[in-house]
Amino acid sequence: MKSNTCKLNTDEINAVAAYLQDRYPQAKTELQFGNPFELLTSTILSAQCTDKRVNIVVKTLFQRYRTVQDYASADPEVFEEEIKSTGFYKNKTKMIIGAAQSILKDFNGQVPTTMEQLVTLPGVGRKTASCVLAAAFDVPAIAVDTHVLRISNRLGLVSLKDPEKIEFALCALFDKDKWIAVSFGLVLFGREICQAKKPLCDKCGIYDVCKWPEKKPLPPGR
Ligand code: SF4
């Protein structure tokens, strides 16, 4: 079903999905993880931080903390030091330790596999929950981060600023079996081509469907 804010027709929407699937066939998160709780931890750490920095920090962290119990009983002051370089470390410490305690108490030690349950964990919003669902459990979901927000507006898929509204609009525009590819594909596309400050429009495979009035004119012959 088309969203009423969408400026693309059905063929153009399908072209966006096909392009992303074709260009990023294995698109998944670039965060390192070995199990769902580690992905939850990495995703919380990635707020206002690069995936590269998070991956450096968790390389050591995941060796020190092996189980959900380890996180639940972590010393907050020690944990803060261990994740300090990812920024906002006090809040992130509270969220990660709190999430571990909640998972032990309410979910039998297992990371829950539904959006409704995941968002009951401390510090877990829909974006983090979507990322965990899609990357750890292969459950269709669209995580709206800064790239997805920017590009879906530039393309004309939505004219919205609220991440939750964008998530629902994108889920309505794309078939469910495309959600994961669109979600992670847009992030990679945003890093590689449709960058925030200097979009590389001349390298863009969906230039023709993009409705952004400020997209860069193509050089002659392209
Ligand atoms: S044409 Fe430019 S602005 Fe539009 S999606 Fe492609 S890279 Fe982004």
Side-chain angles (χ1 to χ4, degrees), residues 151 154-155 189 193-194 199-201 204 206-207 210 212 215:
I151 300 165
R154 279 182 180 170
L155 282 168
F189 179 61
I193 294 176
C194 192
L200 308 176
C201 299
C204 178
I206 40 178
Y207 184 92
C210 177
W212 194 34
K215 71 181 180 183

Side-chain angles (χ1 to χ4, degrees), residues 17-31 33 134-135 138 178-189 191:
Y19 172 69
L20 293 173
Q21 279 188 304
D22 188 49
R23 187 168 186 95
Y24 309 106
Q26 306 297 329
K28 276 281 169 85
T29 179
E30 294 190 323
L31 295 168
F33 67 98
D138 257 330
K178 306 278 193 306
W179 291 358
I180 295 178
V182 167
S183 179
F184 292 122
L186 282 176
V187 175
L188 297 177
F189 179 61
R191 286 180 183 156

